[in-house]
Amino acid sequence: MRLGRLALLLATLLAVATPASAQRDRRGGSPGNFDFYVLALSWTPGFCALGGDERRDAREQCADGTGLGFVVHGLWPQYERGFPSDCSAFERSPSRIAMREADGLFPSEGLARYQWRKHGTCSGSSPAAYFADVRKARDKIAIPPLLTSVERDRTLDPMAIERAFTEANPGLRPDMMAVACRRGTLQEVRICLTRDLRGFRSCPEVDRAGCRTRDLRVDSIR
């Protein structure tokens, strides 16, 4: 009986020490205080198929004939467990000059501004410097041939997508990325980068949160 109570007490203490919220958003973090970056590349056909085309700021992205595949969703400062957001040490709205750095990076200006407010303010950088870092991170990633021209809907194993990215990007390993899905549809690929954006790095929590289904629908580029 005493051993049973001791085990229950130990389990309770562990639960308190590692709350479920540890893996979630920590609003109001300190700007510049994070461990690494996650570059999230959204798969446009999947985003639109999952209802993104119903959003006003995404109508242009989801219009027929855009030919968009992977686009930048965001560059996110990340802790080993969880992530900071909405760090308000800098101005909330980037200037027009700063927004020029975001030209051609995001599918819409509204998304660029939102990503600055939620994630960029935690980077410790100015808006212009943050968007320059987004470009630096995006330019570092090569999209594999498997996903540059998808002319018809197909089914892929998430591991095949990871393997394609690792083959196209020397130094990238499966434990440094995650394939995200929703309702069995490819949503985005998230790649972990060092703080200086010079290389890739392992990110166990991000990797564990990846899609586990074997039959992942990959919608065609329109």
Side-chain angles (χ1 to χ4, degrees):
M1 180 66 71
R2 289 182 180 178
L3 288 176
R5 289 178 179 177
L6 181 60
L8 178 59
L9 177 60
L10 180 59
T12 302
L13 289 173
L14 288 173
V16 172
T18 56
S21 60
Q23 297 183 12
R24 296 198 296 267
D25 183 349
R26 301 182 190 176
R27 291 179 178 271
S30 300
N33 180 24
F34 62 97
D35 298 310
F36 61 98
Y37 277 115
V38 168
L39 175 66
L41 298 174
S42 176
W43 180 247
T44 294
F47 166 75
C48 298
L50 290 167
D53 55 354
E54 298 175 2
R55 289 171 33 183
R56 182 184 304 174
D57 63 347
R59 289 175 182 171
E60 184 177 347
Q61 177 185 357
C62 294
D64 287 337
T66 60
L68 293 176
F70 280 110
V71 297
V72 172
H73 179 180
L75 182 66
W76 306 336
Q78 199 88 5
Y79 300 132
E80 296 294 348
R81 292 180 61 82
F83 60 92
S85 74
D86 301 282
C87 308
S88 58
F90 295 99
E91 65 220 68
R92 300 294 290 174
S93 182
S95 67
R96 294 307 309 175
I97 294 176
M99 288 303 299
R100 290 174 190 166
E101 292 288 344
D103 285 350
L105 279 176
F106 297 87
S108 71
E109 182 177 305
L111 178 59
R113 290 183 178 277
Y114 174 79
Q115 289 297 312
W116 161 253
R117 288 194 303 271
K118 184 171 183 178
H119 299 286
T121 54
C122 299
S123 67
S125 302
S126 68
Y130 170 72
F131 290 132
D133 280 344
V134 176
R135 189 177 302 279
K136 180 179 179 180
R138 174 61 187 86
D139 288 347
K140 185 175 180 62
I141 306 302
I143 304 301
L146 180 69
L147 293 159
T148 53
S149 180
V150 180
E151 298 179 351
R152 57 183 177 81
D153 296 348
R154 59 189 306 184
T155 299
L156 289 172
D157 187 317
M159 293 181 63
I161 295 175
E162 289 189 352
R163 186 163 53 250
F165 268 88
T166 58
E167 290 174 353
N169 295 275
L172 180 63
R173 302 194 312 262
D175 65 324
M176 299 172 171
M177 63 181 297
V179 174
C181 64
R182 187 158 63 90
R183 299 204 300 267
T185 298
L186 174 62
Q187 187 177 22
E188 61 187 30
V189 170
R190 297 167 183 167
I191 299 174
C192 301
L193 298 159
T194 56
R195 281 180 56 110
D196 60 10
L197 301 175
R198 292 183 179 179
F200 307 110
R201 59 103 77 193
S202 63
C203 44
E205 183 179 81
V206 174
D207 181 39
R208 285 195 299 269
C211 185
R212 299 305 175 195
T213 181
R214 289 187 177 181
D215 297 322
L216 184 61
R217 177 187 172 91
V218 180
D219 291 276
S220 61
I221 296 175
R222 298 183 297 175

